[in-house]
Amino acid sequence: QNDLGYYDSAIYFRKLALNIKVNLKSPNQLDIFKTQAAIGYNYSSLRMIDSAFFYLRPALKGIIEELGNENDDVAVISAQLGGCHRIKKTYDSAKYYLEKAYEIYRKEKKPMSRKIGSISNDLGIISSELGRFDEALQYYQKSLKIAEHLFGEKHPYVAITCNNIANTYREQGQYKLALEYFERGLLIFQSRFKNGHVKIAGFHNNIGLLLLEIGDLELALGQLEKSIEMYQKLLGKDHPR
């Protein structure tokens, strides 16, 4: 059920399983904690964050008591808690849990792993939200390097990270660097999606807004018109975007 995205059904059956496991004569505590973690993950996928916290927090505490503080299960649950705090916009807590997961994965001595790349990107987003732009750029550059290593320089993941880097440079007022990364991301999506993509429209929009800030009104207008034209083509003229 979980793999198909039927999270409501997954929660229902996992809660039944949890109730059975808890009431066994000799319950397996570790199995209980892992089931709690799975239910918490399902709730987080549904963006029911308070319910996710209800299951993830005791699961993390229990697994640490059973297995210690540095193992893959602790890293996975910590990353999920970090993601939940990010949604709630409690960024300091999000950063705490994501850094905990990051340190566990870092000690696996696989510096170019997808897990580290993903958490680096999330930490970049959170650092940016906290106004720590230099720190955000360090995380984004690490995420970019890993994405290039794993998927190649023209993969959409690379383009999305370029967009994050560009937005961070824009926040810092480094418009030339921001434009370079926006344009790189745009070219990647254009090469991948010949018939258009909402991300291409988004890049044109971001470039247009950046050019407005720089004061290049004519070029800005051209980019914004391209953005509107593609949104209308892909989503229809009556779409809110």
Side-chain angles (χ1 to χ4, degrees):
Q1 294 287 357
N2 190 23
D3 289 340
L4 294 174
Y6 299 142
Y7 295 114
D8 287 323
S9 297
I11 289 168
Y12 174 77
F13 287 112
R14 280 177 168 153
K15 281 186 175 180
L16 287 179
L18 180 62
N19 187 55
I20 292 169
K21 293 172 183 178
V22 168
N23 287 292
L24 291 173
K25 288 185 178 179
S26 300
N28 183 324
Q29 293 298 322
L30 183 59
D31 195 25
I32 289 171
F33 298 139
K34 289 187 176 184
T35 303
Q36 287 178 320
I39 295 170
Y41 168 75
N42 291 145
Y43 273 124
S44 70
S45 298
L46 292 170
R47 300 181 80 86
M48 298 174 66
I49 303 305
D50 290 335
S51 296
F53 282 148
F54 181 81
Y55 286 94
L56 290 172
R57 284 168 174 161
L60 179 62
K61 181 180 178 182
I63 288 175
I64 289 173
E65 289 174 353
E66 291 286 323
L67 299 177
N69 203 37
E70 294 188 3
N71 58 78
D72 198 65
D73 288 313
V74 171
V76 169
I77 298 171
S78 294
Q80 289 170 0
L81 281 166
C84 288
H85 277 290
R86 178 185 157 195
I87 292 170
K88 294 280 279 188
K89 297 186 178 181
T90 46
Y91 295 122
D92 285 322
S93 294
K95 195 168 187 293
Y96 167 79
Y97 283 109
L98 287 170
E99 285 180 340
K100 184 180 184 71
Y102 181 91
E103 283 303 310
I104 293 171
Y105 289 139
R106 187 181 62 81
K107 291 176 182 178
E108 293 179 353
K109 296 183 179 179
K110 297 177 182 177
M112 304 302 280
S113 74
R114 187 168 182 173
K115 292 180 287 189
I116 289 180
S118 176
I119 291 176
S120 295
N121 185 70
D122 289 343
L123 282 166
I125 293 170
I126 289 163
S127 296
S128 185
E129 291 288 350
L130 291 169
R132 302 169 186 169
F133 299 119
D134 288 336
E135 183 178 80
L137 285 170
Q138 289 178 0
Y139 283 122
Y140 285 143
Q141 291 290 357
K142 186 172 188 65
S143 179
L144 178 62
K145 185 177 180 181
I146 292 172
E148 289 172 337
H149 173 76
L150 293 176
F151 308 112
E153 293 186 355
K154 295 186 178 181
H155 193 277
Y157 287 161
V158 173
I160 291 168
T161 307
C162 285
N163 186 67
N164 290 338
I165 293 171
N167 278 320
T168 306
Y169 277 129
R170 179 181 168 189
E171 290 285 348
Q172 291 185 315
Q174 299 191 60
Y175 297 126
K176 184 178 179 181
L177 286 169
L179 185 59
E180 286 178 11
Y181 278 95
F182 276 140
E183 289 178 338
R184 181 181 173 190
L186 174 62
L187 287 172
I188 291 170
F189 268 98
Q190 286 177 329
S191 68
R192 281 278 184 139
F193 302 97
K194 304 295 184 183
N195 295 321
H197 192 283
V198 291
K199 291 290 187 184
I200 295 175
F203 272 109
H204 281 305
N205 182 70
N206 287 342
I207 292 170
L209 294 176
L210 178 64
L211 291 169
L212 278 177
E213 289 184 38
I214 294 171
D216 197 331
L217 302 184
E218 186 174 348
L219 286 177
L221 180 60
Q223 290 291 324
L224 294 172
E225 286 176 342
K226 287 180 181 179
S227 175
I228 293 169
E229 182 181 341
M230 184 158 291
Y231 277 134
Q232 289 179 340
K233 174 186 172 183
L234 297 171
L235 305 176
K237 292 184 178 181
D238 295 328
H239 194 277
R241 297 192 74 163

